């Protein structure tokens, strides 16, 4: 069983489109995260949810909207996609407070053309 | 803001110990040292973490200096599959992991 699963694995779309990436974890963790890894390979936190409540919202354009229907799911919706949104997006989960380490998904490679 | 300093790259021969250093001179008393690695665009993988004492698990050992200003991750018998970018991260509980540039470790045959 995959602990943190993301879908889709690859996403190619045109500028201006709206797309969603889904994430699910079966670890029973309370906290989930979205990270973005750009072409320079820097991993940056975007959002963090604790038991469906938003607790971290870094400086991210409001075209990005996370949604957590329950504590096992954290989806990322992106409106009006731009070329600069092309990156690999990683979902992660952890116990409350992140103690003991995060578990990351395998990533979604988003390419905006 | 970078709280840690790591060499950008290192090499290690297969079967030898890989010792990856990390400086964190501004670490505060309640901040942990975490190590993660990322193998070629896969999701980062948790390795080990510690506060003051040295730690060991099935993957690696973590040696933290007494003043806690630096640490070393030791992979006792490196294999080709250990080739990855290794990240040393300092964080307090309740805050998200912030990744720096890491050390790119190349294990050679």
């Amino acid at each position: 069983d995959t602990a943190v699963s993301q879908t889709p694995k690859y996403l190619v779309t045109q500028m201006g489109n709206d797309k969603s990436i889904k994430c699910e974890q079966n670890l029973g963790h309370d906290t989930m995260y979205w990270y973005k890894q750009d072409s320079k390979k820097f991993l940056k936190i975007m959002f963090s949810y604790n038991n469906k409540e938003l607790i971290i919202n870094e400086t991210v354009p409001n075209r990005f909207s996370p949604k957590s229907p329950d504590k096992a799911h954290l989806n990322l919706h992106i409106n009006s996609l731009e070329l600069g949104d092309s990156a690999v997006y990683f979902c992660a989960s952890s116990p409350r407070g992140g103690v003991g380490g995060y578990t990351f998904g395998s990533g979604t490679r988003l390419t905006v053309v | 803001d970078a709280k840690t300093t790591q060499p950008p790259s290192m090499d290690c021969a297969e079967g030898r110990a890989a010792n990856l250093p990390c400086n964190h001179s501004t670490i505060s008393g309640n901040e942990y040292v975490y190590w993660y690695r990322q193998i070629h665009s896969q999701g980062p993988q948790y390795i080990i973490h510690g506060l003051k004492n040295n730690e060991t698990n099935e993957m690696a050992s973590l040696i933290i200096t007494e003043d806690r200003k630096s640490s070393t991750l030791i992979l006792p018998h490196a294999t080709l599959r250990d080739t990855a970018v290794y990240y040393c991260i300092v964080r307090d509980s309740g805050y998200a992991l912030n990744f720096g540039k890491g050390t790119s470790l190349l294990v050679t045959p």
Side-chain angles (χ1 to χ4, degrees), chain B residues 3-92:
Chain B
K3 289 189 172 184
T4 63
T5 305
Q6 299 177 252
S9 63
M10 293 182 64
D11 291 348
C12 177
E14 189 178 19
R16 304 296 293 267
N19 297 288
L20 292 92
C22 180
N23 286 324
H24 31 79
S25 57
T26 61
I27 192 170
S28 62
N30 53 354
E31 288 182 316
Y32 288 76
V33 180
Y34 281 80
W35 283 85
Y36 283 75
R37 72 180 182 183
Q38 188 174 25
I39 298 173
H40 187 54
S41 297
Q42 295 178 19
Q45 178 188 23
Y46 165 79
I47 301 173
I48 199 167
H49 75 283
L51 184 63
K52 296 181 183 178
N53 300 322
N54 298 337
E55 302 288 344
T56 295
N57 63 21
E58 65 278 5
M59 290 182 68
S61 295
L62 173 60
I63 309 298
I64 303 175
T65 57
E66 194 168 341
D67 63 7
R68 303 211 320 125
K69 292 185 176 182
S70 66
S71 60
T72 301
L73 179 74
I74 301 172
L75 308 178
H77 306 286
T79 71
L80 299 179
R81 286 178 293 181
D82 291 322
T83 291
V85 178
Y86 287 78
Y87 297 96
C88 170
I89 303 167
V90 165
R91 73 176 280 271
D92 193 356

